Amino acid sequence: MNMYIKNLVAFFSLCFLISCTDNLNFDEINLNVDPILTTPLIYFELNQDDFYNSTTGTEIPMITDTSDFRVFKSSAIRNDVFKAVFDFEIENRFDRSFEVNIVFFDGNDNITRTIPSFTIVPQDLNYVASESIEIDASPIFLTSRKVRVEVKLNPSTTQIDPNIYQIIKFKSTGTFHLSI
Amino acid sequence: MKKLLLLIALIVTGSLKSQQKLAFSFGETPQTLLLNPGAETNFKSHYGIPMLSDFSFNLGLTGFNLNDLFSNDSRAFRTRFEGVLNKINSTDYINFNTKIDVLNVGFRLDKKTYLSFGFYEELDFISYMPKDFIELFYYGNEPFLNRTFSLSQVSMKGDFLGVFHAGISKKVSEKLNIGARVKIYSSSINIESLNNSGTFSSTTSNENIIRQSLNNINGQIRTSGIVDSDDEYVDSPNEYFSRTFLGGNLGLGLDLGLTYHFTSQLEFTASLLDIGFVKHSKNTKNFNIDGNYTLDGLNFEYDTSSLSNYWQQVEQDFRDRVITEQTQEAYTSWRPMKINAAFKYSFGEKRSKSCYSKTHKQYYYNAVGFQLHNIMRPIKPQFSFTSFYEASLSKKIHTKFTHTINDYSSTIFGAATSLQLGKLYVFGGLDNLLGVADVSTANSIAFNFGFNIVID
């Protein structure tokens, strides 16, 4: 009986010894997760009558709209984002050129970032632009809480005709590079 | 030669690595009754050594192994992780199960009837690899335009529970022995996320550059036991353990089994285990999400007569269309039912042994056969096919050698033994002999052993 038990104990030990996990390294487990998240942002479609005041019969040279921009309200995003890229696609079926100005503001309406203006010539149906913001270089951008998009008709001898259906189409996405 | 075989048997016993299914239909140990309540018994009574009468541990994973992730080479961990991510698919899984038999006793009621009862604790966890969402988290959605990510890949279930059981094994005739075991489950922790559906996608669009969509999303996580009645998370291990002793959510289960001898040499054994459920009504906390949503972005309207907060509109629209909620509703969780079946043909030298009440049982020194083992799991059953050879080295030493094909591998060679050391019965087994050399390349690690006092 004692011999059996001794053998048993010996081979319990032996088995642990012959079982090996050689060639494993648990010391260099360093996994940085770097997801790139892209999301649709502002889009709109404007007709010629959006630039025409039917009461006065005159052109409206500039229209503006604003929205909250809450991407950076999340501390998870704020702490991990290191680059933001905004892509724009604009289709201009007007016979007029126009300019687009995009400005970001913080909660107190202070400017945090101005995207350089785009000028889209008449009948340019495939205008594309991109703006990349490195957060290290512009940390103030993380305080952005509002975004304003201005559309300004450039002066021309060609007048807006609200009776003709012609559109401006604006599309945009935001792509956020994170390092978690 | 006999000493060599004894040596092998002892290695196997002491190796601490086997799968419990090795013990099915083998060795006439008391714990066989937990795998087949209709197993034949030839002893008067048994007394499991508390906490040691039956211990099993099983960790398995499919799709990759430890070496794929942690190999000691010059590649960065990130490269290895991405390699694994590339290899796995959504039906691969991680599975962990351990059982500790706290109390197990049995006694013979009469010549034909054996009763047994006891209590064991079980921890069981399985999670399939939600490859879509791991990739979405790891890479983001930007590289995957027009790809659909499926929520149905999220499927997991974890249980920690105590099981009180009482069983009966009855000899109906010379050929047939049947048995049943009633179980009362006392669940301490249950976490499960099953039957999820729906997709997420980022696609090209006419409205905006891209469109994001949640299509027919229906997901849920159900939990019980992780929060207390004040909705505070429980952080006391003692409380988790105490709830396994009838203090948790209770359930009912049944095991059924039989042994049938076609001839004195051809035997069929089968069992259905854990046909049962737990009703979770205490300390539940569930999370549900349900709905459809399409996001094109912020649609600026340039309407000076009514200024809009587009972002707020989008958030409100999302909340209206995709309902997320936390509830404390009761729910029912089914136990993972197991199916075992084995055919065994015995041959070779014929011996007889003394059994209870001065009767004798005849048996053969050798046997071959095959057995099927199946566990019902959330996405698909885990199926194993095992062929085996049994050899008795003496009246007191029995061995079993197996080859198994299952999800983990098609080359799992195993061995098991049961030894009688006076009145002490010891059993154990090793189910992956090839994996012993380097556990890091094995897809499963398992062991099973037990010590019982048996009165013939």
Side-chain angles (χ1 to χ4, degrees), chain A residues 69 72 86 102-115 131 133-135 137-148:
Chain A
F69 178 77
F72 300 129
F86 297 98
I102 301 168
V103 184
F104 291 90
F105 301 91
D106 65 15
N108 297 316
D109 291 334
N110 300 308
I111 292 175
T112 57
R113 182 79 179 191
T114 301
I115 307 283
E131 173 74 357
I133 301 168
E134 299 288 342
I135 300 301
S138 305
I140 196 172
F141 185 61
L142 294 180
T143 65
S144 300
R145 296 292 181 271
K146 287 181 184 173
V147 58
R148 185 182 75 197

PDB file of all heavy atoms in Angstrom, chain A residues 69 72 86 102-115 131 133-135 137-148:
ATOM      1  N   PHE A  69     -21.805  69.968 -31.586  1.00  0.00           N
ATOM      2  CA  PHE A  69     -20.824  68.989 -32.061  1.00  0.00           C
ATOM      3  C   PHE A  69     -20.303  68.280 -30.805  1.00  0.00           C
ATOM      4  O   PHE A  69     -19.486  68.811 -30.066  1.00  0.00           O
ATOM      5  CB  PHE A  69     -19.695  69.714 -32.803  1.00  0.00           C
ATOM      6  CG  PHE A  69     -18.599  68.814 -33.293  1.00  0.00           C
ATOM      7  CD1 PHE A  69     -18.777  68.024 -34.420  1.00  0.00           C
ATOM      8  CD2 PHE A  69     -17.379  68.758 -32.638  1.00  0.00           C
ATOM      9  CE1 PHE A  69     -17.757  67.196 -34.872  1.00  0.00           C
ATOM     10  CE2 PHE A  69     -16.354  67.927 -33.088  1.00  0.00           C
ATOM     11  CZ  PHE A  69     -16.547  67.154 -34.207  1.00  0.00           C
ATOM     12  N   PHE A  72     -16.542  65.239 -28.832  1.00  0.00           N
ATOM     13  CA  PHE A  72     -15.521  65.304 -27.780  1.00  0.00           C
ATOM     14  C   PHE A  72     -16.112  65.519 -26.390  1.00  0.00           C
ATOM     15  O   PHE A  72     -15.382  65.776 -25.440  1.00  0.00           O
ATOM     16  CB  PHE A  72     -14.503  66.403 -28.098  1.00  0.00           C
ATOM     17  CG  PHE A  72     -13.788  66.187 -29.401  1.00  0.00           C
ATOM     18  CD1 PHE A  72     -13.709  67.192 -30.344  1.00  0.00           C
ATOM     19  CD2 PHE A  72     -13.209  64.961 -29.692  1.00  0.00           C
ATOM     20  CE1 PHE A  72     -13.055  66.989 -31.541  1.00  0.00           C
ATOM     21  CE2 PHE A  72     -12.559  64.749 -30.891  1.00  0.00           C
ATOM     22  CZ  PHE A  72     -12.486  65.758 -31.831  1.00  0.00           C
ATOM     23  N   PHE A  86     -11.403  65.327 -41.514  1.00  0.00           N
ATOM     24  CA  PHE A  86     -12.734  65.627 -42.052  1.00  0.00           C
ATOM     25  C   PHE A  86     -12.658  65.583 -43.566  1.00  0.00           C
ATOM     26  O   PHE A  86     -11.780  66.204 -44.172  1.00  0.00           O
ATOM     27  CB  PHE A  86     -13.200  66.995 -41.568  1.00  0.00           C
ATOM     28  CG  PHE A  86     -13.363  67.059 -40.073  1.00  0.00           C
ATOM     29  CD1 PHE A  86     -12.362  67.602 -39.280  1.00  0.00           C
ATOM     30  CD2 PHE A  86     -14.492  66.548 -39.453  1.00  0.00           C
ATOM     31  CE1 PHE A  86     -12.492  67.638 -37.898  1.00  0.00           C
ATOM     32  CE2 PHE A  86     -14.628  66.570 -38.073  1.00  0.00           C
ATOM     33  CZ  PHE A  86     -13.624  67.120 -37.292  1.00  0.00           C
ATOM     34  N   ILE A 102     -16.214  76.562 -42.720  1.00  0.00           N
ATOM     35  CA  ILE A 102     -16.597  75.704 -41.587  1.00  0.00           C
ATOM     36  C   ILE A 102     -15.769  76.113 -40.374  1.00  0.00           C
ATOM     37  O   ILE A 102     -14.533  76.180 -40.458  1.00  0.00           O
ATOM     38  CB  ILE A 102     -16.365  74.221 -41.913  1.00  0.00           C
ATOM     39  CG1 ILE A 102     -17.197  73.836 -43.143  1.00  0.00           C
ATOM     40  CG2 ILE A 102     -16.729  73.330 -40.733  1.00  0.00           C
ATOM     41  CD1 ILE A 102     -16.852  72.490 -43.729  1.00  0.00           C
ATOM     42  N   VAL A 103     -16.479  76.389 -39.297  1.00  0.00           N
ATOM     43  CA  VAL A 103     -15.797  76.861 -38.087  1.00  0.00           C
ATOM     44  C   VAL A 103     -16.309  76.067 -36.888  1.00  0.00           C
ATOM     45  O   VAL A 103     -17.515  75.829 -36.762  1.00  0.00           O
ATOM     46  CB  VAL A 103     -16.067  78.373 -37.858  1.00  0.00           C
ATOM     47  CG1 VAL A 103     -15.278  78.869 -36.641  1.00  0.00           C
ATOM     48  CG2 VAL A 103     -15.712  79.176 -39.083  1.00  0.00           C
ATOM     49  N   PHE A 104     -15.362  75.661 -36.037  1.00  0.00           N
ATOM     50  CA  PHE A 104     -15.725  74.978 -34.787  1.00  0.00           C
ATOM     51  C   PHE A 104     -15.587  75.949 -33.624  1.00  0.00           C
ATOM     52  O   PHE A 104     -14.693  76.799 -33.609  1.00  0.00           O
ATOM     53  CB  PHE A 104     -14.799  73.780 -34.555  1.00  0.00           C
ATOM     54  CG  PHE A 104     -15.014  72.649 -35.526  1.00  0.00           C
ATOM     55  CD1 PHE A 104     -14.308  72.595 -36.727  1.00  0.00           C
ATOM     56  CD2 PHE A 104     -15.921  71.637 -35.243  1.00  0.00           C
ATOM     57  CE1 PHE A 104     -14.497  71.559 -37.618  1.00  0.00           C
ATOM     58  CE2 PHE A 104     -16.115  70.585 -36.130  1.00  0.00           C
ATOM     59  CZ  PHE A 104     -15.412  70.550 -37.322  1.00  0.00           C
ATOM     60  N   PHE A 105     -16.493  75.809 -32.645  1.00  0.00           N
ATOM     61  CA  PHE A 105     -16.496  76.692 -31.469  1.00  0.00           C
ATOM     62  C   PHE A 105     -16.516  75.843 -30.196  1.00  0.00           C
ATOM     63  O   PHE A 105     -17.030  74.712 -30.200  1.00  0.00           O
ATOM     64  CB  PHE A 105     -17.747  77.578 -31.465  1.00  0.00           C
ATOM     65  CG  PHE A 105     -17.885  78.458 -32.664  1.00  0.00           C
ATOM     66  CD1 PHE A 105     -18.580  78.008 -33.790  1.00  0.00           C
ATOM     67  CD2 PHE A 105     -17.340  79.743 -32.699  1.00  0.00           C
ATOM     68  CE1 PHE A 105     -18.722  78.811 -34.902  1.00  0.00           C
ATOM     69  CE2 PHE A 105     -17.482  80.545 -33.810  1.00  0.00           C
ATOM     70  CZ  PHE A 105     -18.175  80.073 -34.918  1.00  0.00           C
ATOM     71  N   ASP A 106     -16.020  76.444 -29.113  1.00  0.00           N
ATOM     72  CA  ASP A 106     -16.179  75.773 -27.822  1.00  0.00           C
ATOM     73  C   ASP A 106     -17.535  76.158 -27.214  1.00  0.00           C
ATOM     74  O   ASP A 106     -18.344  76.847 -27.857  1.00  0.00           O
ATOM     75  CB  ASP A 106     -15.008  76.086 -26.882  1.00  0.00           C
ATOM     76  CG  ASP A 106     -14.941  77.557 -26.478  1.00  0.00           C
ATOM     77  OD1 ASP A 106     -15.953  78.285 -26.694  1.00  0.00           O
ATOM     78  OD2 ASP A 106     -13.904  77.981 -25.956  1.00  0.00           O
ATOM     79  N   GLY A 107     -17.784  75.761 -25.983  1.00  0.00           N
ATOM     80  CA  GLY A 107     -19.081  76.018 -25.359  1.00  0.00           C
ATOM     81  C   GLY A 107     -19.354  77.488 -25.118  1.00  0.00           C
ATOM     82  O   GLY A 107     -20.513  77.891 -24.887  1.00  0.00           O
ATOM     83  N   ASN A 108     -18.302  78.320 -25.165  1.00  0.00           N
ATOM     84  CA  ASN A 108     -18.485  79.763 -24.972  1.00  0.00           C
ATOM     85  C   ASN A 108     -18.385  80.539 -26.281  1.00  0.00           C
ATOM     86  O   ASN A 108     -18.116  81.741 -26.287  1.00  0.00           O
ATOM     87  CB  ASN A 108     -17.426  80.287 -23.995  1.00  0.00           C
ATOM     88  CG  ASN A 108     -17.581  79.645 -22.627  1.00  0.00           C
ATOM     89  OD1 ASN A 108     -18.695  79.531 -22.118  1.00  0.00           O
ATOM     90  ND2 ASN A 108     -16.471  79.200 -22.045  1.00  0.00           N
ATOM     91  N   ASP A 109     -18.558  79.838 -27.368  1.00  0.00           N
ATOM     92  CA  ASP A 109     -18.530  80.426 -28.715  1.00  0.00           C
ATOM     93  C   ASP A 109     -17.175  81.006 -29.105  1.00  0.00           C
ATOM     94  O   ASP A 109     -17.096  81.883 -29.971  1.00  0.00           O
ATOM     95  CB  ASP A 109     -19.625  81.499 -28.857  1.00  0.00           C
ATOM     96  CG  ASP A 109     -21.016  80.879 -28.843  1.00  0.00           C
ATOM     97  OD1 ASP A 109     -21.127  79.685 -29.213  1.00  0.00           O
ATOM     98  OD2 ASP A 109     -21.975  81.558 -28.460  1.00  0.00           O
ATOM     99  N   ASN A 110     -16.132  80.519 -28.463  1.00  0.00           N
ATOM    100  CA  ASN A 110     -14.789  80.890 -28.924  1.00  0.00           C
ATOM    101  C   ASN A 110     -14.368  79.923 -30.030  1.00  0.00           C
ATOM    102  O   ASN A 110     -14.629  78.710 -29.941  1.00  0.00           O
ATOM    103  CB  ASN A 110     -13.773  80.787 -27.779  1.00  0.00           C
ATOM    104  CG  ASN A 110     -14.149  81.699 -26.633  1.00  0.00           C
ATOM    105  OD1 ASN A 110     -14.378  82.887 -26.832  1.00  0.00           O
ATOM    106  ND2 ASN A 110     -14.242  81.132 -25.425  1.00  0.00           N
ATOM    107  N   ILE A 111     -13.722  80.455 -31.046  1.00  0.00           N
ATOM    108  CA  ILE A 111     -13.316  79.605 -32.178  1.00  0.00           C
ATOM    109  C   ILE A 111     -12.218  78.636 -31.737  1.00  0.00           C
ATOM    110  O   ILE A 111     -11.226  79.040 -31.124  1.00  0.00           O
ATOM    111  CB  ILE A 111     -12.831  80.476 -33.350  1.00  0.00           C
ATOM    112  CG1 ILE A 111     -14.010  81.265 -33.935  1.00  0.00           C
ATOM    113  CG2 ILE A 111     -12.180  79.616 -34.435  1.00  0.00           C
ATOM    114  CD1 ILE A 111     -13.621  82.240 -35.022  1.00  0.00           C
ATOM    115  N   THR A 112     -12.421  77.360 -32.058  1.00  0.00           N
ATOM    116  CA  THR A 112     -11.394  76.351 -31.747  1.00  0.00           C
ATOM    117  C   THR A 112     -10.679  75.873 -33.005  1.00  0.00           C
ATOM    118  O   THR A 112      -9.574  75.349 -32.936  1.00  0.00           O
ATOM    119  CB  THR A 112     -12.033  75.131 -31.056  1.00  0.00           C
ATOM    120  OG1 THR A 112     -13.066  74.612 -31.906  1.00  0.00           O
ATOM    121  CG2 THR A 112     -12.616  75.516 -29.702  1.00  0.00           C
ATOM    122  N   ARG A 113     -11.334  76.034 -34.144  1.00  0.00           N
ATOM    123  CA  ARG A 113     -10.702  75.609 -35.397  1.00  0.00           C
ATOM    124  C   ARG A 113     -11.489  76.192 -36.568  1.00  0.00           C
ATOM    125  O   ARG A 113     -12.714  76.133 -36.584  1.00  0.00           O
ATOM    126  CB  ARG A 113     -10.714  74.084 -35.510  1.00  0.00           C
ATOM    127  CG  ARG A 113     -10.028  73.541 -36.749  1.00  0.00           C
ATOM    128  CD  ARG A 113      -8.522  73.539 -36.568  1.00  0.00           C
ATOM    129  NE  ARG A 113      -7.829  72.996 -37.714  1.00  0.00           N
ATOM    130  CZ  ARG A 113      -6.535  72.686 -37.713  1.00  0.00           C
ATOM    131  NH1 ARG A 113      -5.808  72.880 -36.607  1.00  0.00           N
ATOM    132  NH2 ARG A 113      -5.943  72.208 -38.797  1.00  0.00           N
ATOM    133  N   THR A 114     -10.766  76.707 -37.523  1.00  0.00           N
ATOM    134  CA  THR A 114     -11.392  77.169 -38.763  1.00  0.00           C
ATOM    135  C   THR A 114     -10.833  76.327 -39.904  1.00  0.00           C
ATOM    136  O   THR A 114      -9.617  76.262 -40.106  1.00  0.00           O
ATOM    137  CB  THR A 114     -11.078  78.649 -39.023  1.00  0.00           C
ATOM    138  OG1 THR A 114     -11.560  79.428 -37.924  1.00  0.00           O
ATOM    139  CG2 THR A 114     -11.731  79.128 -40.310  1.00  0.00           C
ATOM    140  N   ILE A 115     -11.733  75.673 -40.602  1.00  0.00           N
ATOM    141  CA  ILE A 115     -11.298  74.889 -41.764  1.00  0.00           C
ATOM    142  C   ILE A 115     -11.085  75.879 -42.907  1.00  0.00           C
ATOM    143  O   ILE A 115     -11.953  76.727 -43.157  1.00  0.00           O
ATOM    144  CB  ILE A 115     -12.391  73.867 -42.172  1.00  0.00           C
ATOM    145  CG1 ILE A 115     -12.807  72.999 -40.984  1.00  0.00           C
ATOM    146  CG2 ILE A 115     -11.927  73.032 -43.360  1.00  0.00           C
ATOM    147  CD1 ILE A 115     -11.886  71.905 -40.595  1.00  0.00           C
ATOM    148  N   GLU A 131      -9.432  67.753 -44.449  1.00  0.00           N
ATOM    149  CA  GLU A 131      -8.712  68.534 -43.450  1.00  0.00           C
ATOM    150  C   GLU A 131      -8.312  67.598 -42.330  1.00  0.00           C
ATOM    151  O   GLU A 131      -9.142  66.907 -41.745  1.00  0.00           O
ATOM    152  CB  GLU A 131      -9.616  69.653 -42.909  1.00  0.00           C
ATOM    153  CG  GLU A 131      -9.050  70.423 -41.746  1.00  0.00           C
ATOM    154  CD  GLU A 131      -7.937  71.400 -42.146  1.00  0.00           C
ATOM    155  OE1 GLU A 131      -7.572  71.427 -43.347  1.00  0.00           O
ATOM    156  OE2 GLU A 131      -7.447  72.121 -41.262  1.00  0.00           O
ATOM    157  N   ILE A 133      -6.408  67.126 -38.663  1.00  0.00           N
ATOM    158  CA  ILE A 133      -6.046  67.881 -37.456  1.00  0.00           C
ATOM    159  C   ILE A 133      -5.305  66.949 -36.498  1.00  0.00           C
ATOM    160  O   ILE A 133      -5.865  65.946 -36.039  1.00  0.00           O
ATOM    161  CB  ILE A 133      -7.300  68.449 -36.763  1.00  0.00           C
ATOM    162  CG1 ILE A 133      -8.057  69.376 -37.726  1.00  0.00           C
ATOM    163  CG2 ILE A 133      -6.931  69.177 -35.473  1.00  0.00           C
ATOM    164  CD1 ILE A 133      -9.437  69.766 -37.257  1.00  0.00           C
ATOM    165  N   GLU A 134      -4.046  67.255 -36.255  1.00  0.00           N
ATOM    166  CA  GLU A 134      -3.270  66.507 -35.257  1.00  0.00           C
ATOM    167  C   GLU A 134      -3.586  67.115 -33.892  1.00  0.00           C
ATOM    168  O   GLU A 134      -3.378  68.313 -33.678  1.00  0.00           O
ATOM    169  CB  GLU A 134      -1.770  66.609 -35.548  1.00  0.00           C
ATOM    170  CG  GLU A 134      -1.346  66.034 -36.894  1.00  0.00           C
ATOM    171  CD  GLU A 134      -1.405  64.518 -36.939  1.00  0.00           C
ATOM    172  OE1 GLU A 134      -1.435  63.895 -35.860  1.00  0.00           O
ATOM    173  OE2 GLU A 134      -1.432  63.961 -38.054  1.00  0.00           O
ATOM    174  N   ILE A 135      -4.059  66.288 -32.984  1.00  0.00           N
ATOM    175  CA  ILE A 135      -4.511  66.818 -31.701  1.00  0.00           C
ATOM    176  C   ILE A 135      -3.350  67.396 -30.894  1.00  0.00           C
ATOM    177  O   ILE A 135      -3.485  68.423 -30.219  1.00  0.00           O
ATOM    178  CB  ILE A 135      -5.248  65.729 -30.894  1.00  0.00           C
ATOM    179  CG1 ILE A 135      -6.463  65.241 -31.682  1.00  0.00           C
ATOM    180  CG2 ILE A 135      -5.665  66.248 -29.520  1.00  0.00           C
ATOM    181  CD1 ILE A 135      -7.491  66.288 -32.048  1.00  0.00           C
ATOM    182  N   ALA A 137      -0.906  69.002 -31.960  1.00  0.00           N
ATOM    183  CA  ALA A 137      -0.609  70.351 -32.463  1.00  0.00           C
ATOM    184  C   ALA A 137      -1.753  71.320 -32.167  1.00  0.00           C
ATOM    185  O   ALA A 137      -1.541  72.536 -32.132  1.00  0.00           O
ATOM    186  CB  ALA A 137      -0.336  70.294 -33.967  1.00  0.00           C
ATOM    187  N   SER A 138      -2.944  70.815 -32.004  1.00  0.00           N
ATOM    188  CA  SER A 138      -4.111  71.675 -31.745  1.00  0.00           C
ATOM    189  C   SER A 138      -4.980  71.085 -30.634  1.00  0.00           C
ATOM    190  O   SER A 138      -6.132  70.700 -30.861  1.00  0.00           O
ATOM    191  CB  SER A 138      -4.964  71.803 -33.007  1.00  0.00           C
ATOM    192  OG  SER A 138      -4.225  72.262 -34.076  1.00  0.00           O
ATOM    193  N   PRO A 139      -4.445  71.021 -29.423  1.00  0.00           N
ATOM    194  CA  PRO A 139      -5.237  70.392 -28.344  1.00  0.00           C
ATOM    195  C   PRO A 139      -6.533  71.137 -28.054  1.00  0.00           C
ATOM    196  O   PRO A 139      -7.494  70.536 -27.568  1.00  0.00           O
ATOM    197  CB  PRO A 139      -4.291  70.435 -27.139  1.00  0.00           C
ATOM    198  CG  PRO A 139      -3.262  71.457 -27.465  1.00  0.00           C
ATOM    199  CD  PRO A 139      -3.120  71.472 -28.949  1.00  0.00           C
ATOM    200  N   ILE A 140      -6.573  72.409 -28.386  1.00  0.00           N
ATOM    201  CA  ILE A 140      -7.783  73.196 -28.130  1.00  0.00           C
ATOM    202  C   ILE A 140      -8.977  72.669 -28.934  1.00  0.00           C
ATOM    203  O   ILE A 140     -10.131  72.894 -28.559  1.00  0.00           O
ATOM    204  CB  ILE A 140      -7.522  74.693 -28.435  1.00  0.00           C
ATOM    205  CG1 ILE A 140      -8.620  75.548 -27.810  1.00  0.00           C
ATOM    206  CG2 ILE A 140      -7.429  74.941 -29.933  1.00  0.00           C
ATOM    207  CD1 ILE A 140      -8.336  77.034 -27.896  1.00  0.00           C
ATOM    208  N   PHE A 141      -8.664  71.941 -30.008  1.00  0.00           N
ATOM    209  CA  PHE A 141      -9.756  71.412 -30.832  1.00  0.00           C
ATOM    210  C   PHE A 141     -10.653  70.464 -30.026  1.00  0.00           C
ATOM    211  O   PHE A 141     -11.837  70.329 -30.318  1.00  0.00           O
ATOM    212  CB  PHE A 141      -9.182  70.694 -32.059  1.00  0.00           C
ATOM    213  CG  PHE A 141     -10.238  70.217 -33.014  1.00  0.00           C
ATOM    214  CD1 PHE A 141     -11.101  71.113 -33.634  1.00  0.00           C
ATOM    215  CD2 PHE A 141     -10.395  68.859 -33.277  1.00  0.00           C
ATOM    216  CE1 PHE A 141     -12.095  70.671 -34.499  1.00  0.00           C
ATOM    217  CE2 PHE A 141     -11.383  68.414 -34.132  1.00  0.00           C
ATOM    218  CZ  PHE A 141     -12.244  69.318 -34.749  1.00  0.00           C
ATOM    219  N   LEU A 142     -10.069  69.856 -28.995  1.00  0.00           N
ATOM    220  CA  LEU A 142     -10.867  68.930 -28.173  1.00  0.00           C
ATOM    221  C   LEU A 142     -11.950  69.640 -27.378  1.00  0.00           C
ATOM    222  O   LEU A 142     -12.862  68.999 -26.848  1.00  0.00           O
ATOM    223  CB  LEU A 142      -9.957  68.155 -27.205  1.00  0.00           C
ATOM    224  CG  LEU A 142      -8.956  67.199 -27.829  1.00  0.00           C
ATOM    225  CD1 LEU A 142      -8.137  66.504 -26.750  1.00  0.00           C
ATOM    226  CD2 LEU A 142      -9.679  66.149 -28.680  1.00  0.00           C
ATOM    227  N   THR A 143     -11.869  70.970 -27.284  1.00  0.00           N
ATOM    228  CA  THR A 143     -12.917  71.710 -26.564  1.00  0.00           C
ATOM    229  C   THR A 143     -14.071  72.086 -27.494  1.00  0.00           C
ATOM    230  O   THR A 143     -15.020  72.740 -27.061  1.00  0.00           O
ATOM    231  CB  THR A 143     -12.342  72.986 -25.918  1.00  0.00           C
ATOM    232  OG1 THR A 143     -11.902  73.871 -26.956  1.00  0.00           O
ATOM    233  CG2 THR A 143     -11.183  72.669 -24.991  1.00  0.00           C
ATOM    234  N   SER A 144     -14.002  71.690 -28.739  1.00  0.00           N
ATOM    235  CA  SER A 144     -15.063  72.035 -29.705  1.00  0.00           C
ATOM    236  C   SER A 144     -16.398  71.431 -29.281  1.00  0.00           C
ATOM    237  O   SER A 144     -16.466  70.247 -28.949  1.00  0.00           O
ATOM    238  CB  SER A 144     -14.699  71.506 -31.099  1.00  0.00           C
ATOM    239  OG  SER A 144     -13.500  72.070 -31.548  1.00  0.00           O
ATOM    240  N   ARG A 145     -17.415  72.272 -29.291  1.00  0.00           N
ATOM    241  CA  ARG A 145     -18.752  71.797 -28.927  1.00  0.00           C
ATOM    242  C   ARG A 145     -19.816  72.212 -29.945  1.00  0.00           C
ATOM    243  O   ARG A 145     -20.964  71.797 -29.851  1.00  0.00           O
ATOM    244  CB  ARG A 145     -19.162  72.336 -27.540  1.00  0.00           C
ATOM    245  CG  ARG A 145     -18.286  71.844 -26.405  1.00  0.00           C
ATOM    246  CD  ARG A 145     -18.459  70.345 -26.155  1.00  0.00           C
ATOM    247  NE  ARG A 145     -17.634  69.891 -25.058  1.00  0.00           N
ATOM    248  CZ  ARG A 145     -16.383  69.468 -25.197  1.00  0.00           C
ATOM    249  NH1 ARG A 145     -15.823  69.407 -26.405  1.00  0.00           N
ATOM    250  NH2 ARG A 145     -15.665  69.092 -24.146  1.00  0.00           N
ATOM    251  N   LYS A 146     -19.432  73.081 -30.891  1.00  0.00           N
ATOM    252  CA  LYS A 146     -20.388  73.516 -31.926  1.00  0.00           C
ATOM    253  C   LYS A 146     -19.666  73.575 -33.268  1.00  0.00           C
ATOM    254  O   LYS A 146     -18.434  73.741 -33.313  1.00  0.00           O
ATOM    255  CB  LYS A 146     -20.935  74.918 -31.618  1.00  0.00           C
ATOM    256  CG  LYS A 146     -21.917  74.967 -30.468  1.00  0.00           C
ATOM    257  CD  LYS A 146     -22.409  76.396 -30.280  1.00  0.00           C
ATOM    258  CE  LYS A 146     -23.324  76.487 -29.072  1.00  0.00           C
ATOM    259  NZ  LYS A 146     -23.685  77.889 -28.781  1.00  0.00           N
ATOM    260  N   VAL A 147     -20.453  73.465 -34.324  1.00  0.00           N
ATOM    261  CA  VAL A 147     -19.876  73.615 -35.663  1.00  0.00           C
ATOM    262  C   VAL A 147     -20.834  74.473 -36.500  1.00  0.00           C
ATOM    263  O   VAL A 147     -22.053  74.336 -36.415  1.00  0.00           O
ATOM    264  CB  VAL A 147     -19.617  72.242 -36.322  1.00  0.00           C
ATOM    265  CG1 VAL A 147     -20.888  71.414 -36.424  1.00  0.00           C
ATOM    266  CG2 VAL A 147     -18.967  72.408 -37.685  1.00  0.00           C
ATOM    267  N   ARG A 148     -20.227  75.384 -37.261  1.00  0.00           N
ATOM    268  CA  ARG A 148     -21.028  76.279 -38.112  1.00  0.00           C
ATOM    269  C   ARG A 148     -20.575  76.107 -39.557  1.00  0.00           C
ATOM    270  O   ARG A 148     -19.372  76.020 -39.825  1.00  0.00           O
ATOM    271  CB  ARG A 148     -20.811  77.731 -37.685  1.00  0.00           C
ATOM    272  CG  ARG A 148     -21.694  78.737 -38.428  1.00  0.00           C
ATOM    273  CD  ARG A 148     -21.400  80.151 -38.007  1.00  0.00           C
ATOM    274  NE  ARG A 148     -20.147  80.618 -38.601  1.00  0.00           N
ATOM    275  CZ  ARG A 148     -19.470  81.676 -38.155  1.00  0.00           C
ATOM    276  NH1 ARG A 148     -19.906  82.374 -37.123  1.00  0.00           N
ATOM    277  NH2 ARG A 148     -18.349  82.045 -38.751  1.00  0.00           N
TER     278      ARG A 148
END
